[in-house]
Amino acid sequence: METETLASRRDVLVGLVVGLTLGRPALAEGLPWVAVTKDPSCGCCEKWVAHLREAGFTVTVTEGPVNPVKARLGVPRDLASCHTAEVGGYVVEGHVPAGAIKRLLAETPKATGLAVPGMPAGSPGMEVEGMEPDTYAVILFGPEGRSPFARYRGGVPA
């Protein structure tokens, strides 16, 4: 009886270790947390958060005034959108696709972050059934200037 109990406990522990070891990359992909600040009444922001979660990010959401956050993080007014996020030491402004964020984190350029100005139709969180998605630029910005980082049509690289 004692031997059966020890074997069962050992099997459970081995199973947990294996499950955590193999399951962790599949669940988190080694991605950092994303902290989003959004207006409480914004529905497209919730859809963008869902897009990030589907892409493997763990996201926390704070509802409240967004403009003071944008100012504190150095988001230029002309690049502003409806929500602001922080991830891996970068700022993510607006409806930036998860793929562009993953590329940013992999390449680690010297920059403040990424922005998708405005709210382009078809961008993650801005999908409208029956409406053609816009082609739009994801902008890399920082103290040293701005440059195009990626182009997307809807949520797909263009």
Side-chain angles (χ1 to χ4, degrees), residues 14-111:
V14 168
L16 284 172
V17 169
V18 170
L20 289 172
T21 302
L22 296 176
R24 186 174 181 187
L27 292 174
E29 295 182 38
L31 298 171
W33 287 70
V34 180
V36 176
T37 303
K38 69 173 213 62
D39 183 274
S41 62
C42 187
C44 68
C45 299
E46 288 295 331
K47 291 179 182 177
W48 182 72
V49 167
H51 164 75
L52 292 184
R53 287 179 175 145
E54 289 170 10
F57 287 97
T58 300
V59 184
T60 59
V61 178
T62 301
E63 295 186 343
V66 181
N67 288 335
V69 174
K70 293 178 192 309
R72 177 177 57 81
L73 296 174
V75 176
R77 285 185 179 196
D78 64 319
L79 295 182
S81 186
C82 56
H83 55 264
T84 303
E86 297 174 79
V87 58
Y90 290 102
V91 176
V92 176
E93 179 66 17
H95 294 268
V96 176
I101 298 170
K102 288 179 179 180
R103 180 178 153 213
L104 173 77
L105 295 170
E107 294 179 4
T108 63
K110 185 177 178 184

